[in-house]
Amino acid sequence: MTSPTTLTRDFADVFPDEVVTHAHVRDVDLPYGAGTMALITLDNGLDHTRPNSFGPKGLAELDAAIESALAREDVAAVGITGKPFILAAGADISGMPRITRHEQAKEIARYGHEVFGKLDDGRKPSFGFVNGLAIGGGLEVALNCTYRTVIATAPAVAFSECFLGILPGWGGTWLLPNLVGADRAVKVIVENALNNNRMLRGPQVQPLGIADATFEGADFLERSLDWAGQVLTGRTQVERAPVDRGEAWDAAVARGRAFVDAKLHGAAPAAQRALDIIAAAKTCSKEEGFALENDALADLLMSEELRSGLYAFDLVQRRAKKPVGVPDKSLARPVTKVGIVGAGLMAGQLALLFARRLLVPVVLTDIDDERVEKGLSYVRGEVDKLAAKGRVSGDQANRIKALVTGSTDKNVYADCDFVLEAVFEEMKVKQQVFAELEGIVSPECVLATNTSSLSVTTMASKLAHPERVVGFHFFNPVAILPLLEVVRGQRTDDAGLATAFATAKGLKKNAILVKDAPAFVVNRILTRFMGEVTRCVDEGTPVEVADHAVLPLGLPMTPFVLLQLVGPAVGLHVAETLHEAFPDRFYVSPNLQRLVAANKPGLWSWDAQGKPFLDDDTRALLEQGDQPSTAEQVRERVMAAVADEVRRLLDDDVVADAPDVDLAMILGAGWPFHLGGITPYLDRSGIAERVTGRRFLPVGAASLPG
């Protein structure tokens, strides 16, 4: 057994800033003569914005509390719950990047099993009262209990480990399938995690068999204690569905493996290791299962993919909330009415977002009543969908609809504080729009552009007050992708920029500050990436080979599927814009030009099973050379081009530093955590030094130290 004193001493340098989650114990007299429960409350002393977590000191304190309760003859049962709204958010990940030895990693796994396992060692019955958020180790501490209740208002119950690059290593990977069966365990441990870290809510937990009872929020603990008394005295029988250990178990694991392969293509090992243990859990003992978890967790804690995942997690949780280079927020002006120029699909998405998040009047305009009505109908239809899904109430839906109005007269913008243009991506058109607006809006009104590639400075150059113009670039689909590139033109003032960032925060978007440079960050990198893929096709590489070459990176979609989503015409426009600025680096594919001229939606057609194929008409459009590349050569060329472009982007001060590039690629392009965005992968693969002569990040920032 591990000595808590030894563990906390050995890990003092690994977790120097541990916020200790204390284990407070109080005796509770249970009803129905059930006896005394030693109720442990986990509490780190901070409010709900800083969840409980388990570091070495916190584990040692919980260990002592459980052991003390189990040793008392007057205690009939042990209960565990958390501070208001939160059970626990899992292991303290702050020290994980400092773990440098495999045995050190394995000791963390062993001690978690040792502490949590005491709740189910047979000495006394135990109850996990899930009173709110329970993620990772927070869910595992409950699973190690004999019985579980869950609060109906729990916002998040999940195993997020595979999303980060590890697996539930304190019992969860073995316990969950043995409790609810392999099918549900694969969904919760693997599929939900890799589907953008999807969480369960309180009402979903008991139907899956994870909890035995669900109670409402106001008197959750009282009702849970009453229920515990009923269970202990036999008044309530806890019945659980039998677990199918036949072919269904194997089928669930096989489904999980196919899902992981389709998502990651071998790019990150955590999910497959989790499936290995779920497969073994069909027949192996708890001790054997926990030993497998120890080995797997230790291996994964030492992996480069986890280091990248932790780096990415920190970017999303910390840096995204405190963007670099932003003017003081006190300079921001209030936004009480918003204008959207245009009423097309993008404008409709923007109008809905502003109305729903800011709850201020939003007015959109277009050149005729038909277009305006089409835009308004889109907004109303999307609000109805939200209401049907329970995302907004009936009253909220009516309010949002009432906030969005339309007109063909731009004078409706006269009292707006923030006007965003979303018209055709052509400089003269946008300059004309801004010229009209300047004669209508107040001197304090911010004029924003949703351009994806054009110069904000040039767009504002003919205005009397160019300092009010700011880039405000959203990513499609607007409701899903959280990134907002806020672009500072050469003459944009601090007040306009501060207002833009405050507005982005109100919209619940993660904004980064970007210099006014062609295509900014995400589109510039993706266009260089796409240009190299299309060049390979033009040289003679089969379309299938070029498109699938990057699959081993585990990207969310292949290049030509992305092109289909964006639209060839948009992709071509951005490529031509960047080629004009940097003709030696940005390639414009004649085959892409042919696709656009033929009005093709992309390279791929789709069969009845949803698989892409190249139809005869599209194939006939392509003109290819006789110098094909292998998949590996395509991948090397593409990533070398990306490394070169990232270096140039940083040298040009388009963003503050490499972490902003990574944050942009994660939030704007959906690039995965196991790549850390992109620069950690370029560093660890050696591409960064080979192409640019140096790393993007210091050694150890998103990799194993040394």
Side-chain angles (χ1 to χ4, degrees), residues 1-11 56-57 59-61 63-64 67 103-115 118 170 294:
M1 295 180 65
T2 304
S3 163
T5 302
T6 301
L7 185 87
T8 53
R9 183 187 66 235
D10 290 349
F11 284 90
K57 294 177 182 176
L59 279 175
E61 193 166 322
D63 188 7
E67 190 59 47
E103 184 55 35
Q104 201 178 27
K106 197 166 184 177
E107 192 59 32
I108 287 283
R110 278 198 297 253
Y111 190 50
H113 277 127
E114 184 179 314
V115 176
K118 291 179 180 181
W170 287 342
N294 288 340

Side-chain angles (χ1 to χ4, degrees), residues 326-537:
V326 180
D328 193 294
K329 62 183 179 181
S330 65
L331 297 173
R333 303 187 186 106
V335 173
T336 60
K337 183 179 178 181
V338 172
I340 307 290
V341 184
L345 178 59
M346 176 59 82
Q349 292 182 71
L350 295 172
L352 173 59
L353 178 71
F354 276 89
R356 185 183 177 197
R357 297 300 186 200
L358 301 187
L359 294 175
V360 299
V362 178
V363 58
L364 51 81
T365 65
D366 215 316
I367 58 175
D368 58 49
D369 290 334
E370 182 179 351
R371 286 182 171 87
V372 171
E373 181 54 36
K374 186 175 181 180
L376 294 175
S377 294
Y378 170 83
V379 172
R380 291 192 288 264
E382 291 300 302
V383 173
D384 287 340
K385 291 178 186 177
L386 291 171
K389 294 176 182 177
R391 303 274 298 276
V392 297
S393 68
D395 288 344
Q396 289 171 324
N398 290 334
R399 182 180 180 187
I400 293 168
K401 289 178 186 178
L403 286 171
V404 182
T405 58
S407 176
T408 57
D409 183 0
K410 289 189 176 69
N411 285 306
V412 294
Y413 297 134
D415 57 346
C416 286
D417 306 299
F418 192 97
V419 179
L420 175 64
E421 69 78 18
V423 299
F424 183 67
E425 190 78 345
E426 209 282 319
M427 181 61 76
K428 289 183 179 179
V429 174
K430 292 179 184 289
Q431 285 179 326
Q432 181 181 347
V433 166
F434 276 167
E436 291 181 56
L437 290 173
E438 191 171 47
I440 296 170
V441 300
S442 70
E444 293 78 23
C445 178
V446 173
L447 299 181
T449 171
N450 186 43
T451 182
S452 61
S453 60
L454 301 178
S455 168
V456 174
T457 300
T458 302
M459 206 176 296
S461 61
K462 297 182 179 180
L463 299 180
H465 296 285
E467 69 278 0
R468 69 164 75 197
V469 178
V470 62
F472 212 62
H473 179 222
F474 290 87
F475 290 82
N476 202 11
V478 170
I480 295 174
L481 290 175
L483 183 69
L484 224 175
E485 290 177 329
V486 176
V487 186
R488 182 170 202 158
Q490 289 181 5
R491 297 184 64 181
T492 305
D493 64 16
D494 284 353
L497 203 62
T499 303
F501 272 94
T503 303
K505 185 176 182 180
L507 296 173
K508 297 186 178 180
K509 294 294 182 182
N510 297 121
I512 62 169
L513 179 61
V514 180
K515 178 182 175 182
D516 187 18
F520 317 128
V521 179
V522 175
N523 283 347
R524 180 163 161 180
I525 293 171
L526 288 179
T527 304
R528 184 79 189 272
F529 170 92
M530 187 70 74
E532 202 60 35
V533 176
T534 56
R535 192 198 303 266
C536 289
V537 170

Side-chain angles (χ1 to χ4, degrees), residues 681-706:
Y681 170 80
L682 295 173
D683 282 347
R684 74 174 185 248
S685 64
I687 296 172
E689 291 185 83
R690 186 171 70 250
V691 174
T692 75
R694 62 192 192 275
R695 296 172 59 90
F696 289 107
L697 300 169
V699 174
S703 60
L704 286 166

